[in-house]
């Protein structure tokens, strides 16, 4: 029996992880659940899965959650700081970090220091502080098991290939809802259009990131740290069908790809039960449903966020942290109709130019960089100077 902590249980990844656990109740047990503000769903999940602890980050809902669970033997905590406390729960074997944004950094570091294996769905943790996090994982002999479909695909392709050198990896991108669109078109798009992803059902933030290709940019940065790669070894290729989830090319030129229908439950299940695969009833891939695959080069000029992500990775230091923090602010602003789709890239680039660069940041530097980048990005949005 594996005890699972889910940080972010009410989001897309968290709810699908609970589906996997529900279908394999003889193998997995939930010991911690947390939610940002969806108290109703957190209460429902707690009553079904009966964890030892739940966290509601929105402190204003603490008493509501506590009262609703008063007849259950479940400890209720509140506030973001509580996430770090529960991340080191002594009974937990795997911590699934499905939090959205850089809020996942401190709990993930705490879990690593406590010797917990990490099922990582919070890509921002490695984007913000990839060097620090991977160093700590090595020191504490902790596995970081990727949950993103693209990184899970790379991870699966590398099993059994530990002695073989990677020449290049190809992260595949669907292209999102604006594949093939030009700058004139993108200058007038609204959030309702950007939220209509053609292949995946995801939360609002990640869906907007997918539409702008920032999600792929964040995945590029994450891949660098997960697989110890140079930036020149990482490429992005647009594959609208989203069947080939990513590809590894070895030094002899041979390539391995991981394929399957677009369904996040498979990489979630693989991470939770690694290294063993579990039998399931997930939909099976049928080649006849996809008589042809297509591929094209990513358009870095139209979708500048991907270009900015590569730029931040080449610069290194705290630059990816600046990129991520500014992006979180502009996505929120776009969802509130405070900024245009193309203006998001302008704000991010301005932050990358103006925030002080730190070549060898420590954790406090990352946290300060994150704070200052958010302040500047918010000012740029408010002043509408771009």
């Amino acid at each position: 029996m594996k005890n699972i902590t889910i940080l972010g249980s009410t989001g897309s990844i968290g709810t699908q992880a609970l589906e996997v656990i529900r279908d394999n109740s003889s193998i997995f047990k939930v010991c911690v659940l947390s939610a940002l503000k969806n108290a109703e769903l957190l209460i429902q999940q707690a009553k079904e899965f009966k964890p030892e602890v739940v966290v509601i980050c929105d402190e204003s809902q603490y008493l509501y959650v506590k009262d609703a669970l008063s007849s259950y033997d479940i400890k209720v905590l509140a506030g973001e700081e509580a996430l770090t406390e529960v991340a080191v729960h002594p009974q937990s074997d795997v911590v699934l970090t499905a939090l959205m944004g850089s809020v996942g950094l401190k709990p993930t570091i705490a879990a690593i220091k406590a010797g917990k294996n990490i099922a990582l769905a919070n890509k921002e943790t490695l984007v913000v502080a990839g060097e620090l996090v991977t160093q700590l994982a090595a020191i504490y002999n902790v596995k970081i098991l990727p949950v993103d479909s693209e990184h899970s695909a790379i991870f699966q392709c590398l099993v059994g290939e530990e002695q073989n050198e990677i020449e290049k990896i190809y992260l595949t991108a669907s292209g999102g809802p604006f594949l093939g669109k030009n700058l004139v078109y993108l200058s007038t798009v609204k959030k309702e259009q950007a939220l209509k992803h053609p292949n995946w059902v995801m939360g609002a933030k990640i869906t907007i990131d997918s539409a702008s290709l920032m999600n792929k940019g964040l995945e590029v940065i994450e891949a660098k740290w997960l697989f110890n790669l140079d930036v020149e070894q990482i490429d992005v290729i647009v594959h609208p069908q989203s069947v080939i989830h990513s590809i590894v090319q070895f030094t002899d030129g041979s390539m391995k790809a991981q394929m399957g229908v677009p369904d996040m439950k498979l990489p979630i299940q693989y991470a939770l039960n690694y290294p063993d695969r579990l039998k399931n009833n997930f939909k099976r891939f049928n080649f006849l449903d996809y008589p042809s695959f297509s591929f094209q080069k990513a358009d870095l000029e139209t979708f500048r966020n991907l270009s900015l992500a590569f730029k931040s990775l080449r610069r290194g230091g705290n630059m990816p942290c600046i990129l991520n923090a500014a992006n979180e602010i502009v996505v929120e602003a776009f969802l509130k109709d405070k900024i245009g789709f193309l203006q998001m890239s302008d704000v991010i680039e301005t932050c990358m130019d103006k925030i002080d660069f730190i070549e060898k940041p420590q954790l406090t530097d990352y946290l300060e960089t994150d704070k200052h980048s958010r302040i500047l990005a918010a000012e740029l949005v408010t002043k509408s100077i771009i």
Side-chain angles (χ1 to χ4, degrees), residues 35-90:
L36 176 62
K37 58 185 178 181
N38 192 341
E40 291 289 350
L41 183 53
L42 179 64
I43 291 165
Q44 179 183 325
Q45 292 173 342
K47 288 180 177 180
E48 177 181 358
F49 291 95
K50 299 177 176 59
E52 295 185 27
V53 188
V54 300
V55 177
I56 180 70
C57 292
D58 181 355
E59 296 183 48
S60 68
Q61 300 196 71
Y62 168 70
L63 291 178
Y64 176 66
V65 176
K66 187 174 176 61
D67 288 345
L69 299 176
S70 59
S71 61
Y72 293 80
D73 186 20
I74 299 173
K75 185 177 181 180
V76 179
L77 302 175
E80 284 189 10
E81 291 302 316
L83 294 173
T84 301
E85 178 181 342
V86 298
V88 301
H89 192 285

Coordinates of all heavy atoms in Angstrom, one line a residue, residues 35-90:
A35 N -6.3 22.0 -1.1 CA -7.0 22.8 -2.1 C -6.7 24.3 -1.9 O -6.5 24.7 -0.8 CB -8.5 22.6 -2.1
L36 N -6.7 25.0 -3.0 CA -6.5 26.5 -2.9 C -7.7 27.2 -2.3 O -7.6 27.8 -1.2 CB -6.2 27.1 -4.2 CG -6.0 28.6 -4.3 CD1 -4.8 29.0 -3.4 CD2 -5.8 29.1 -5.7
K37 N -8.9 27.0 -2.9 CA -10.1 27.7 -2.4 C -11.4 26.9 -2.6 O -12.4 27.3 -2.2 CB -10.2 29.1 -3.0 CG -10.2 29.1 -4.5 CD -10.3 30.5 -5.0 CE -10.2 30.6 -6.6 NZ -10.2 31.9 -7.1
N38 N -11.3 25.8 -3.3 CA -12.5 25.0 -3.6 C -12.9 24.1 -2.4 O -12.6 22.9 -2.4 CB -12.3 24.1 -4.9 CG -13.6 23.6 -5.4 OD1 -14.6 23.5 -4.7 ND2 -13.6 23.1 -6.7
A39 N -13.5 24.8 -1.4 CA -13.8 24.1 -0.2 C -14.8 23.0 -0.4 O -14.7 21.9 0.2 CB -14.2 25.1 0.9
E40 N -15.8 23.2 -1.2 CA -16.8 22.2 -1.4 C -16.3 20.9 -1.9 O -16.6 19.8 -1.4 CB -17.9 22.8 -2.3 CG -18.7 23.9 -1.8 CD -19.7 23.5 -0.7 OE1 -19.9 22.3 -0.5 OE2 -20.3 24.4 0.0
L41 N -15.4 21.0 -2.9 CA -14.9 19.8 -3.5 C -13.9 19.1 -2.5 O -13.8 17.9 -2.4 CB -14.2 20.1 -4.8 CG -13.7 18.9 -5.6 CD1 -14.7 17.8 -5.8 CD2 -13.1 19.3 -7.0
L42 N -13.1 19.9 -1.8 CA -12.2 19.4 -0.9 C -12.9 18.6 0.2 O -12.5 17.5 0.6 CB -11.4 20.5 -0.2 CG -10.4 20.1 0.8 CD1 -9.3 19.2 0.2 CD2 -9.7 21.3 1.5
I43 N -14.0 19.1 0.7 CA -14.8 18.4 1.7 C -15.4 17.1 1.1 O -15.3 16.1 1.8 CB -16.0 19.3 2.2 CG1 -15.4 20.5 3.0 CG2 -17.0 18.5 3.0 CD1 -16.5 21.6 3.2
Q44 N -15.9 17.2 -0.1 CA -16.4 15.9 -0.7 C -15.3 14.9 -0.9 O -15.5 13.7 -0.6 CB -16.9 16.3 -2.1 CG -17.5 15.2 -2.9 CD -17.9 15.6 -4.3 OE1 -18.4 16.7 -4.4 NE2 -17.7 14.8 -5.3
Q45 N -14.1 15.3 -1.3 CA -13.0 14.4 -1.4 C -12.6 13.8 -0.1 O -12.3 12.6 0.0 CB -11.8 15.1 -2.1 CG -12.0 15.5 -3.5 CD -10.9 16.4 -4.1 OE1 -10.1 16.9 -3.3 NE2 -10.8 16.4 -5.4
A46 N -12.5 14.6 0.9 CA -12.1 14.2 2.3 C -13.1 13.2 2.8 O -12.6 12.2 3.4 CB -12.0 15.4 3.2
K47 N -14.3 13.4 2.6 CA -15.3 12.4 3.1 C -15.2 11.1 2.4 O -15.4 10.0 3.0 CB -16.7 13.0 2.9 CG -17.1 14.1 3.9 CD -18.5 14.6 3.7 CE -18.8 15.7 4.7 NZ -20.2 16.3 4.5
E48 N -14.8 11.1 1.1 CA -14.7 9.8 0.4 C -13.4 9.1 0.7 O -13.4 7.9 1.0 CB -14.8 10.1 -1.1 CG -14.6 8.8 -1.9 CD -14.6 9.0 -3.4 OE1 -14.9 10.1 -3.9 OE2 -14.4 8.0 -4.1
F49 N -12.3 9.9 0.7 CA -11.0 9.2 0.8 C -10.4 9.2 2.2 O -9.4 8.5 2.4 CB -10.0 9.9 -0.2 CG -10.3 9.6 -1.6 CD1 -11.1 10.6 -2.3 CD2 -9.9 8.5 -2.3 CE1 -11.4 10.3 -3.7 CE2 -10.2 8.3 -3.6 CZ -11.0 9.2 -4.3
K50 N -11.0 10.0 3.1 CA -10.6 10.0 4.5 C -9.1 10.1 4.8 O -8.5 9.2 5.4 CB -11.1 8.7 5.2 CG -12.7 8.6 5.1 CD -13.2 7.3 5.7 CE -14.7 7.3 5.7 NZ -15.3 7.4 4.3
P51 N -8.5 11.2 4.3 CA -7.1 11.4 4.6 C -6.9 11.7 6.1 O -7.9 12.0 6.8 CB -6.8 12.6 3.7 CG -8.1 13.4 3.6 CD -9.1 12.3 3.6
E52 N -5.7 11.7 6.5 CA -5.4 12.1 7.9 C -5.4 13.7 8.1 O -5.8 14.2 9.1 CB -4.0 11.6 8.3 CG -4.0 10.1 8.4 CD -2.7 9.6 8.9 OE1 -2.0 10.3 9.7 OE2 -2.2 8.5 8.6
V53 N -5.1 14.4 7.0 CA -5.0 15.8 7.0 C -5.5 16.4 5.7 O -5.3 15.9 4.7 CB -3.5 16.3 7.2 CG1 -3.5 17.8 7.5 CG2 -2.8 15.6 8.4
V54 N -6.2 17.6 5.9 CA -6.6 18.4 4.7 C -6.1 19.8 4.9 O -6.1 20.3 6.1 CB -8.1 18.3 4.3 CG1 -8.5 16.9 4.0 CG2 -8.9 19.0 5.4
V55 N -5.8 20.5 3.8 CA -5.4 21.9 3.9 C -6.3 22.7 3.0 O -6.4 22.4 1.8 CB -3.9 22.1 3.5 CG1 -3.5 23.6 3.5 CG2 -3.0 21.3 4.4
I56 N -6.8 23.8 3.5 CA -7.5 24.7 2.6 C -6.7 26.0 2.7 O -6.5 26.6 3.8 CB -9.0 25.0 3.1 CG1 -9.7 26.0 2.2 CG2 -9.1 25.4 4.6 CD1 -9.9 25.5 0.8
C57 N -6.1 26.4 1.6 CA -5.2 27.5 1.5 C -5.9 28.9 1.8 O -5.3 29.8 2.4 CB -4.4 27.6 0.2 SG -3.3 26.2 0.0
D58 N -7.1 29.0 1.4 CA -7.9 30.1 1.7 C -8.4 30.1 3.1 O -9.3 29.4 3.5 CB -9.2 30.2 0.7 CG -10.0 31.4 0.9 OD1 -9.8 32.2 1.9 OD2 -11.0 31.5 0.2
E59 N -7.7 30.9 4.0 CA -7.9 30.8 5.4 C -9.3 31.3 5.8 O -9.8 30.9 6.9 CB -6.9 31.7 6.1 CG -5.5 31.2 5.9 CD -4.4 32.0 6.7 OE1 -4.7 32.2 7.9 OE2 -3.4 32.3 6.1
S60 N -10.0 32.0 4.9 CA -11.3 32.5 5.3 C -12.3 31.3 5.3 O -13.4 31.4 5.8 CB -11.8 33.5 4.3 OG -12.0 33.0 3.0
Q61 N -12.0 30.2 4.7 CA -12.8 29.0 4.6 C -12.5 27.9 5.6 O -13.1 26.8 5.6 CB -12.8 28.4 3.2 CG -13.3 29.4 2.1 CD -13.6 28.7 0.8 OE1 -14.7 28.0 0.7 NE2 -12.8 28.9 -0.2
Y62 N -11.5 28.2 6.5 CA -11.0 27.2 7.4 C -12.2 26.7 8.3 O -12.4 25.5 8.4 CB -9.9 27.8 8.3 CG -9.6 27.0 9.5 CD1 -8.9 25.8 9.3 CD2 -9.9 27.4 10.8 CE1 -8.6 25.0 10.4 CE2 -9.6 26.6 11.9 CZ -8.9 25.4 11.7 OH -8.6 24.6 12.8
L63 N -12.9 27.6 9.0 CA -14.0 27.1 9.9 C -15.1 26.3 9.1 O -15.6 25.4 9.7 CB -14.6 28.3 10.6 CG -13.7 29.0 11.6 CD1 -14.4 30.2 12.2 CD2 -13.3 28.0 12.7
Y64 N -15.4 26.8 7.9 CA -16.4 26.0 7.1 C -15.9 24.6 6.9 O -16.7 23.6 7.0 CB -16.6 26.8 5.8 CG -17.5 26.1 4.9 CD1 -18.9 25.9 5.2 CD2 -17.1 25.5 3.7 CE1 -19.7 25.2 4.3 CE2 -17.9 24.9 2.8 CZ -19.3 24.7 3.1 OH -20.1 24.1 2.3
V65 N -14.7 24.4 6.5 CA -14.1 23.1 6.2 C -14.1 22.3 7.5 O -14.4 21.1 7.5 CB -12.8 23.2 5.5 CG1 -12.2 21.8 5.3 CG2 -12.9 23.8 4.2
K66 N -13.6 22.9 8.5 CA -13.4 22.2 9.8 C -14.8 21.8 10.3 O -14.9 20.6 10.8 CB -12.8 23.2 10.8 CG -12.4 22.5 12.2 CD -11.6 23.5 13.1 CE -11.4 22.8 14.4 NZ -10.6 21.6 14.3
D67 N -15.8 22.6 10.3 CA -17.1 22.2 10.7 C -17.7 21.1 9.9 O -18.3 20.1 10.4 CB -18.1 23.4 10.7 CG -17.8 24.4 11.7 OD1 -17.0 24.1 12.7 OD2 -18.3 25.6 11.6
A68 N -17.5 21.1 8.6 CA -18.0 20.1 7.7 C -17.4 18.7 8.0 O -18.0 17.7 7.7 CB -17.8 20.5 6.2
L69 N -16.2 18.7 8.5 CA -15.5 17.5 8.7 C -15.3 17.1 10.2 O -14.6 16.3 10.6 CB -14.1 17.5 8.1 CG -14.0 17.7 6.5 CD1 -12.6 17.9 6.1 CD2 -14.7 16.6 5.8
S70 N -16.1 17.8 11.0 CA -16.0 17.7 12.5 C -16.3 16.3 12.9 O -15.8 15.8 14.0 CB -16.9 18.7 13.2 OG -18.3 18.5 12.8
S71 N -17.1 15.5 12.2 CA -17.5 14.2 12.6 C -16.5 13.1 12.1 O -16.7 11.9 12.3 CB -18.9 13.8 12.2 OG -19.0 13.9 10.8
Y72 N -15.5 13.6 11.3 CA -14.5 12.7 10.8 C -13.1 12.9 11.5 O -12.8 14.0 12.0 CB -14.2 13.0 9.3 CG -15.4 12.7 8.4 CD1 -16.5 13.5 8.3 CD2 -15.5 11.5 7.7 CE1 -17.6 13.3 7.5 CE2 -16.6 11.2 6.9 CZ -17.6 12.1 6.8 OH -18.7 11.8 6.0
D73 N -12.4 11.8 11.6 CA -11.0 11.9 12.2 C -10.0 12.5 11.2 O -9.1 11.8 10.8 CB -10.6 10.5 12.7 CG -9.3 10.6 13.5 OD1 -9.0 11.6 14.0 OD2 -8.7 9.5 13.6
I74 N -10.2 13.7 10.9 CA -9.4 14.4 9.9 C -8.9 15.7 10.4 O -9.8 16.6 10.8 CB -10.2 14.6 8.5 CG1 -10.6 13.3 7.9 CG2 -9.3 15.4 7.5 CD1 -11.5 13.4 6.7
K75 N -7.6 16.0 10.4 CA -7.1 17.2 10.9 C -7.2 18.2 9.8 O -6.9 17.9 8.6 CB -5.6 17.1 11.3 CG -5.0 18.3 11.9 CD -3.5 18.0 12.3 CE -2.9 19.2 12.9 NZ -1.5 18.9 13.4
V76 N -7.7 19.4 10.1 CA -7.9 20.5 9.1 C -6.9 21.6 9.4 O -6.8 22.2 10.5 CB -9.3 21.0 9.1 CG1 -9.5 22.1 8.1 CG2 -10.3 19.9 8.9
L77 N -6.1 22.0 8.4 CA -5.2 23.1 8.5 C -5.5 24.2 7.4 O -6.2 23.9 6.4 CB -3.8 22.7 8.3 CG -3.2 21.6 9.2 CD1 -1.9 21.1 8.8 CD2 -3.2 22.1 10.7
A78 N -5.0 25.4 7.6 CA -5.3 26.5 6.6 C -4.1 27.3 6.3 O -3.1 27.4 7.2 CB -6.4 27.3 7.1
G79 N -4.0 27.9 5.1 CA -3.0 28.8 4.8 C -1.9 28.1 3.9 O -1.7 26.9 4.0
E80 N -1.2 28.9 3.1 CA -0.2 28.3 2.2 C 1.0 27.7 3.0 O 1.6 26.7 2.6 CB 0.4 29.4 1.3 CG -0.6 29.8 0.1 CD 0.0 30.7 -0.9 OE1 1.3 30.9 -0.8 OE2 -0.7 31.2 -1.8
E81 N 1.3 28.3 4.2 CA 2.4 27.7 4.9 C 2.1 26.3 5.4 O 3.0 25.5 5.6 CB 2.7 28.6 6.2 CG 3.3 30.0 5.8 CD 4.6 29.8 5.0 OE1 5.4 29.0 5.4 OE2 4.8 30.6 4.0
A82 N 0.8 26.0 5.5 CA 0.5 24.6 5.9 C 0.8 23.6 4.9 O 1.0 22.4 5.2 CB -1.0 24.5 6.2
L83 N 1.0 24.0 3.6 CA 1.4 23.1 2.6 C 2.8 22.5 2.8 O 3.0 21.3 2.6 CB 1.3 23.8 1.2 CG 0.0 24.3 0.7 CD1 0.2 25.1 -0.6 CD2 -0.9 23.1 0.4
T84 N 3.6 23.4 3.3 CA 5.0 22.9 3.6 C 5.0 22.0 4.8 O 5.7 21.0 4.8 CB 5.9 24.1 3.9 OG1 5.9 25.0 2.8 CG2 7.3 23.7 4.3
E85 N 4.1 22.2 5.8 CA 4.0 21.3 6.9 C 3.5 19.9 6.5 O 4.1 18.9 7.0 CB 3.0 22.0 7.9 CG 2.8 21.1 9.2 CD 1.8 21.7 10.1 OE1 1.5 23.0 10.0 OE2 1.2 21.0 11.0
V86 N 2.5 19.9 5.7 CA 1.9 18.5 5.3 C 2.7 17.8 4.3 O 2.6 16.6 4.1 CB 0.5 18.6 4.9 CG1 -0.4 19.2 5.9 CG2 0.3 19.5 3.6
A87 N 3.6 18.5 3.6 CA 4.4 17.9 2.6 C 5.4 16.9 3.2 O 5.9 16.1 2.4 CB 5.2 19.0 1.8
V88 N 5.7 17.0 4.5 CA 6.6 16.1 5.1 C 5.9 15.1 6.0 O 6.5 14.5 6.9 CB 7.6 16.9 6.0 CG1 8.4 17.9 5.1 CG2 6.9 17.7 7.1
H89 N 4.6 14.9 5.7 CA 3.8 13.9 6.5 C 4.6 12.6 6.6 O 5.0 12.0 5.6 CB 2.5 13.7 5.9 CG 1.5 13.0 6.7 ND1 1.5 11.6 7.0 CD2 0.4 13.4 7.4 CE1 0.6 11.3 7.7 NE2 -0.2 12.3 8.1
P90 N 4.8 12.1 7.8 CA 5.6 10.9 8.0 C 5.1 9.6 7.3 O 5.9 8.8 6.9 CB 5.7 10.7 9.5 CG 4.5 11.5 10.1 CD 4.3 12.6 9.1

